[in-house]
Amino acid sequence: MADSPAPRLSRRRPRLAAAVVAAVVVAAVVAAVVVLAGRPPATAADRAAADRGFRWPVGTERVYRLSLRADQRAAMMPDVHDAAPATRVGGDLALDALVAMRAVRTTARGVVVAISFTRVDTADLDLTGADVFASLDDARAQLIGPELEVELAPSGQILGLAAAVDAPPVFDALVQVVTEEIEVVLGAGDAWSTEQATTLGRGGVAYQVTACDHPDQLCADRRRGRFDRLQGLAVDDVVQDVTSRYAVVVDPARGALLRVAGDEHVAIAPAARPDDRLRETSRTLSFELVDEHPATRPAPPPGAATAARRAVAPGEPLVGSGDDARLAQRIDGLTAAELTDLLRKFGDGGTMPDHSRFMWRATALVATDPAARAALAALFARPETGAMGRLLVTDILVSAGSPEAQQVLRRLIDDGAPGDAPPVAALMARTAMIQTPTAETARWLADRYAAAGADDPSKRAMTYALGAIAGRLVDDDGARTPQAQAIARQLRAELDATADPTHARWLLGALGNAGDPAQVDAIVPYLASDDPASVRAALTALRRTPDDDATSRVIALLADPGRGAVHVDALRLLTGYHLDAARFDDVMAAARAAAPDQGYRAALFDLAMARDGEFPDQTVAALRWLAAEPVDDARLRARIDGALAEHGG
């Protein structure tokens, strides 16, 4: 049949609740759907893959034995700039099953493969402490039968997934996890890299050919690097600890993926508080081909392939607006009256019994139910409600994130509250966490910011929040809106005009949150400041806008022994950049010139390991140099020696 035109896809960022719920649920796994995508194939990789033989003959079914263990913990309300304590949500998965992959049709870009579970031996899944499946029979009833379609390029790159609208949500979520884990993209030569979009974020993946037991097979290590973009996090100023290694085996002659096995651990934390994990996920996978035969299940008739399916961008879960069944599942029977009763009984403590589950249900209810929003407004204005209770109300509104919830939030902050009211600064700080701000919210915040005097105690919080809101004002194609650009220009003008170092640091933080490349040249001069706090603020501001001139200046800063107070901050910034091999060599040359201390060496080790797999020779050279340097920290010494041993050094 003729290919249907690809739908026009929205790239608007998901709401906070939807984004974090989806990231937790899909990695911990419940209630998310990802569907047909429009990601162009990597042409060079496709040609190399075709030479090596990735092929899916239509009508052929390959059956794989799957074993997957996953757990994830995430902050639903991340702590930014002295804002609220995080609400933690999470889940665990143990899945053993047989997975059928059936090639159903070709497209202009590759082939569509339908994925289904044919047998389920283990399916233990809990979310925020509650079992998703009542029994193994319940799991089998939901998982066996439906199919999720995956469009694959000749290289093996996933171009998109198509989920049936009537499939059980948990089936879609589990298959999404599986597709992320088993994606193998073939490239040219003995080493290559690609980019993968997942429900956690988008980042680079490196491959290195390894020795095989069988000469007719292709074996490689697959390792994930740092994420360039993270889904569902209100904090951009983060450090990442990514440990990832999978063994991949391919049969080029048959064009078949034979095996993927390995494990991965990702921890994400604010740079200022590396022990306060915003997200932490671990996965262990074994996926092995056990059979190949002609498919017995008929292909769908012409037109049926797309008639009852929906589309979003790859790696972006569909949870929230327009998804009534999934929201109803999250709400789980909670009503506005019950919400009011619970908050009156327990809200003044700032946390609720079974708090994660409460937030899971309450934010979905408030996003959709006018009565629930009215109940929150009444509670906020109620004289008996304390400061912590009012902060909890604002947390729910921010996390719900809908335009209607934002409208209520603006009104509550403007009206204030009687009695034990929380500081306005604490309320304004929460606005920085709105993941899909409306134009009205941005105008409201800009007006409040302009009206606030320099001595207003909420001015700092509003400064950071205004930049964060500007950084998330995007149109349907993911481009910055004119309103976002205007806010960034306003912040830059204030930075250019101020002579107050403290105010300048606030504005640098706001410009960093805005992430507008057009304003980088206003930030870079602060790298030369004699004030370490101002340099750190500039380094933090550059995290979202890598720039050649800024990178050169940061590397030069690393070579100056007199700038030791900011060396670690500079290395953390560069660890988040995609440095090429020449830039990495420049960093190592700077390190040799700087007589680094222990903190410098530890940060340099993290940078070297983040580049592991992209240019392994330089990584080994860096490890050898670090191993030869005096290291008093026993833990760092063990990490260096262990990494060097793993690399055969």
Side-chain angles (χ1 to χ4, degrees):
M1 77 176 192
D3 293 326
S4 301
R8 186 172 183 272
L9 304 177
S10 169
R11 295 184 184 174
R12 185 174 298 279
R13 294 187 178 108
R15 299 171 184 165
L16 176 60
V20 178
V21 163
V24 171
V25 169
V26 175
V29 199
V30 82
V33 181
V34 170
V35 259
L36 243 191
R39 182 169 55 171
T43 305
D46 288 347
R47 287 197 296 267
D51 293 341
R52 282 178 164 162
F54 246 150
R55 291 179 296 279
W56 287 89
V58 172
T60 297
E61 183 171 87
R62 291 171 179 158
V63 180
Y64 292 83
R65 181 180 293 110
L66 167 72
S67 177
L68 177 63
R69 301 293 183 268
D71 66 81
Q72 174 147 333
R73 303 293 178 265
M76 197 170 183
M77 293 289 293
D79 181 359
V80 289
H81 305 304
D82 305 320
T87 294
R88 305 287 173 180
V89 293
D92 301 280
L93 167 69
L95 179 64
D96 298 302
L98 290 182
V99 177
M101 301 184 69
R102 176 174 61 95
V104 295
R105 67 184 181 278
T106 59
T107 70
R109 303 187 298 175
V111 63
V112 172
V113 175
I115 300 180
S116 61
F117 294 108
T118 61
R119 192 178 84 193
V120 176
D121 298 319
T122 305
D124 295 328
L125 172 62
D126 78 78
L127 182 67
T128 63
D131 290 331
V132 173
F133 300 122
S135 64
L136 182 57
D137 286 341
D138 178 39
R140 288 168 174 162
Q142 296 194 58
L143 299 180
I144 297 176
E147 289 187 314
L148 186 141
E149 293 187 351
V150 182
E151 186 179 11
L152 298 172
S155 64
Q157 184 180 33
I158 293 175
L159 304 176
L161 298 95
V165 295
D166 58 352
V170 69
F171 166 82
D172 293 330
L174 282 168
V175 178
Q176 183 180 15
V177 173
V178 173
T179 59
E180 291 179 1
E181 290 295 292
I182 67 173
E183 182 177 14
V184 172
V185 180
L186 295 179
D190 290 337
W192 63 94
S193 60
T194 185
E195 191 174 72
Q196 183 186 26
T198 74
T199 49
L200 186 58
R202 180 183 292 272
V205 178
Y207 293 82
Q208 176 69 50
V209 171
T210 59
C212 273
D213 293 335
H214 300 283
D216 56 345
Q217 295 177 351
L218 171 67
C219 299
D221 275 349
R222 185 189 74 185
R223 301 194 188 198
R224 184 184 307 284
R226 289 171 50 85
F227 289 91
D228 301 323
R229 188 174 63 199
L230 293 164
Q231 293 276 19
L233 288 181
V235 179
D236 296 309
D237 183 15
V238 298
V239 292
Q240 301 180 40
D241 181 5
V242 181
T243 304
S244 170
R245 187 168 187 176
Y246 292 84
V248 174
V249 183
V250 174
D251 182 344
R254 293 165 58 193
L257 175 64
L258 300 182
R259 188 169 187 265
V260 183
D263 53 67
E264 179 173 282
H265 178 262
V266 178
I268 300 164
R273 301 181 309 283
D275 293 330
D276 183 12
R277 301 293 173 83
L278 296 177
R279 185 163 298 157
E280 187 166 14
T281 180
S282 298
R283 296 180 182 178
T284 300
L285 171 77
S286 175
F287 189 75
E288 186 168 6
L289 182 66
V290 295
D291 191 19
E292 181 172 343
H293 52 249
T296 57
R297 189 166 178 168
T306 56
R309 299 183 184 274
R310 294 178 289 175
V312 296
E316 185 173 322
L318 181 60
V319 177
S321 58
D323 200 350
D324 294 338
R326 287 161 176 78
L327 281 173
Q329 185 180 55
R330 280 183 52 198
I331 293 168
D332 193 21
L334 182 67
T335 66
E338 289 174 305
L339 177 66
T340 300
D341 185 54
L342 286 168
L343 287 170
R344 283 184 174 179
K345 287 180 179 178
F346 305 107
D348 280 347
T351 58
M352 306 292 290
D354 199 0
H355 189 72
S356 294
R357 182 162 177 76
F358 168 79
M359 290 294 289
W360 175 275
R361 300 171 70 198
T363 53
L365 179 68
V366 170
T368 56
D369 185 2
R373 294 191 290 272
L376 289 186
L379 279 168
F380 190 92
R382 182 172 173 260
E384 295 84 358
T385 303
M388 293 301 293
R390 291 191 174 104
L391 288 175
L392 181 56
V393 166
T394 59
D395 288 349
I396 295 170
L397 289 167
V398 167
S399 188
S402 65
E404 297 82 4
Q406 291 180 50
Q407 183 180 27
V408 173
L409 177 69
R410 297 193 302 266
R411 176 164 55 83
L412 295 183
I413 294 176
D414 282 343
D415 291 349
D420 184 15
V424 175
L427 297 175
M428 299 307 300
R430 280 158 169 74
T431 64
M433 294 181 262
I434 299 172
Q435 291 298 288
T436 311
T438 62
E440 291 77 15
T441 293
R443 278 194 293 272
W444 167 82
L445 183 57
D447 289 345
R448 286 198 62 123
Y449 175 81
D455 57 350
D456 188 319
S458 65
K459 185 76 171 183
R460 178 188 181 191
M462 283 192 284
T463 307
Y464 288 127
L466 188 61
I469 292 292
R472 300 189 188 103
L473 287 171
V474 295
D475 61 23
D476 288 343
D477 293 321
R480 299 175 189 281
T481 66
Q483 187 181 27
Q485 297 172 31
I487 291 173
R489 288 194 298 270
Q490 173 193 349
L491 293 169
R492 183 212 175 111
E494 291 190 39
L495 179 63
D496 290 341
T498 189
D500 180 351
T502 299
H503 189 211
R505 290 195 292 273
W506 296 356
L507 291 163
L508 286 168
L511 281 174
N513 286 343
D516 188 342
Q519 313 309 329
V520 170
D521 62 327
I523 299 170
V524 167
Y526 283 85
L527 294 174
S529 172
D530 293 331
D531 173 28
S534 296
V535 178
R536 291 191 191 98
L539 290 167
T540 301
L542 291 168
R543 66 192 181 275
R544 293 180 59 191
T545 49
D547 172 272
D548 283 345
D549 179 51
T551 302
S552 296
R553 295 202 188 197
V554 172
I555 293 174
L557 183 155
L558 286 172
D560 184 351
R563 311 297 296 280
V566 294
H567 281 163
V568 170
D569 304 271
L571 284 166
R572 284 177 174 167
L573 173 69
L574 294 175
T575 301
Y577 283 5
H578 265 310
L579 301 178
D580 59 23
R583 288 288 201 187
F584 184 80
D585 287 342
D586 290 343
V587 171
M588 290 306 302
R592 292 184 180 96
D597 60 14
Q598 294 292 107
Y600 192 127
R601 292 189 187 98
L604 186 62
F605 173 80
D606 290 339
L607 186 150
M609 297 311 296
R611 302 277 76 82
D612 184 23
E614 297 179 43
F615 18 88
D617 291 345
Q618 282 103 323
T619 299
V620 172
L623 290 172
R624 286 174 176 161
W625 182 78
L626 285 167
E629 290 288 299
V631 176
D632 298 330
D633 185 328
R635 183 172 178 271
L636 176 59
R637 168 58 67 189
R639 293 175 69 199
I640 293 170
D641 292 345
L644 191 57
E646 182 180 342
H647 288 75

